[in-house]
Amino acid sequence: MTVSAETETATTPTNLGFGVDVGGSGIKGGVVDLDTGVLVGERFKVLTPQPATPEAVAGGVAEVVAHFDWTGPVGITLPGVVTGGVMRTAANIDKSWIGTAVDELFGSRLGGVPVSVLNDADAAGMAEDAHGAGKDVDGVVMMLTFGTGIGSAILINGTLVPNTELGHLHVGKKEAEHIAASRVKEDKGWSYAKWTEKVSEVLSTYEALFWPTLFIAGGGISRKADKWIPLLTNSTPVVPAKLANTAGIVGAAMAVSQGLRT
Ligand code: BGC
């Protein structure tokens, strides 16, 4: 096939970043084209060490970065609240993260490169808002990730309000993530119809408080969106995430390129 010189120039990305997404089962990273929000090449994954202590996870992150010989700034997601470079909560990860100076931990482990450490759902929300399902959507966009817990991100015209933690909002008698995370569906063996009733309750509660223009549903279960999004009974439109398993990596790379500190 002949490719014109013009096409080649147009497709060679020059504005690159690097993101690492730390999850319960894997630590995944890759080089990101910051102009398009697309990964350049494959992502690389190592298993999350157990117990997932700060030192052990930092080792995994360093391994992922070294795999690409990347020596520039690195954005890193964690499944908890991060303020002032310190992790504050650890609902679904080793409790020793609470109070850990994560900027220092990753910065020194990665040889002193600039780092941004932010909440996993916040990173996914930034990526989806800029390059995925929220692209060109005006007003308040709310990203929710359904997995072991429920992660949330709120963006207004591209600006993130970090650490919203809506998975812990009480809906009825329990925290939202204890009734409607996708893990609850698995653990209880619920049908999509049964689980979607709970998700509808959660989304109805969120929309009554925040009035978003759009909900973006992420997490592994968003890949089966056709099985459950049509069953939702809340009012605000819900669309599946578009970047699938790269959103956290892309958002982390965006965060460090913007010098974001939550
Ligand atoms: C944590 C959030 C996180 C979400 C998804 C929740 O339990 O509190 O910080 O974003 O799980 O990992």
Side-chain angles (χ1 to χ4, degrees):
M1 190 177 84
T2 324
V3 180
S4 74
E6 207 181 321
T7 318
E8 277 184 69
T9 319
T11 55
T12 306
T14 50
N15 186 14
L16 300 179
F18 197 95
V20 183
D21 193 16
V22 175
S25 57
I27 300 174
K28 296 140 281 183
V31 178
V32 175
D33 177 348
L34 292 167
D35 293 328
T36 59
V38 172
L39 253 59
V40 179
E42 294 294 302
R43 60 177 203 151
F44 179 71
K45 172 177 168 179
V46 298
L47 293 181
T48 305
Q50 299 300 336
T53 59
E55 276 306 323
V57 167
V61 169
E63 198 181 328
V64 170
V65 175
H67 173 83
F68 293 89
D69 292 327
W70 180 265
T71 54
V74 177
I76 299 145
T77 79
L78 290 174
V81 171
V82 180
T83 62
V86 176
M87 188 147 174
R88 309 287 177 181
T89 67
N92 294 310
I93 194 170
D94 198 88
K95 301 295 174 232
S96 60
W97 282 92
I98 297 173
T100 297
V102 288
D103 275 9
E104 276 171 43
L105 171 77
F106 292 112
S108 66
R109 190 65 198 242
L110 297 173
V113 299
V115 297
S116 276
V117 187
L118 76 163
N119 174 262
D120 53 2
D122 282 347
M126 285 175 71
E128 284 291 338
D129 190 60
H131 300 291
K135 197 174 171 195
D136 302 326
V137 176
D138 289 334
V140 173
V141 169
M142 192 178 284
M143 165 97 192
L144 299 169
T145 61
F146 295 90
T148 307
I150 295 178
S152 63
I154 297 181
L155 294 109
I156 168 83
N157 299 325
T159 303
L160 172 75
V161 179
N163 295 309
T164 46
E165 291 294 315
L166 294 179
H168 301 292
L169 187 76
H170 279 246
V171 173
K173 290 195 177 134
K174 292 184 177 174
E175 291 183 27
E177 74 175 25
H178 294 155
I179 62 170
S182 58
R183 187 205 191 140
V184 179
K185 177 181 181 303
E186 277 164 41
D187 288 353
K188 301 207 186 253
W190 282 347
S191 63
Y192 278 101
K194 171 78 183 159
W195 177 68
T196 307
E197 276 175 32
K198 304 293 176 189
V199 179
S200 295
E201 255 180 71
V202 167
L203 297 187
S204 301
T205 305
Y206 292 165
E207 69 196 3
L209 297 174
F210 297 97
W211 292 87
T213 312
L214 181 72
F215 284 117
I216 303 174
I221 203 156
S222 66
R223 269 169 258 154
K224 301 268 170 63
D226 54 324
K227 290 201 185 328
W228 61 276
I229 288 188
L231 307 178
L232 288 167
T233 56
N234 69 293
S235 310
T236 310
V238 183
V239 294
K242 281 195 176 154
L243 301 184
N245 55 14
T246 64
I249 298 173
V250 173
M254 288 170 64
V256 73
S257 78
Q258 296 168 11
L260 184 76
R261 196 162 194 261
T262 61

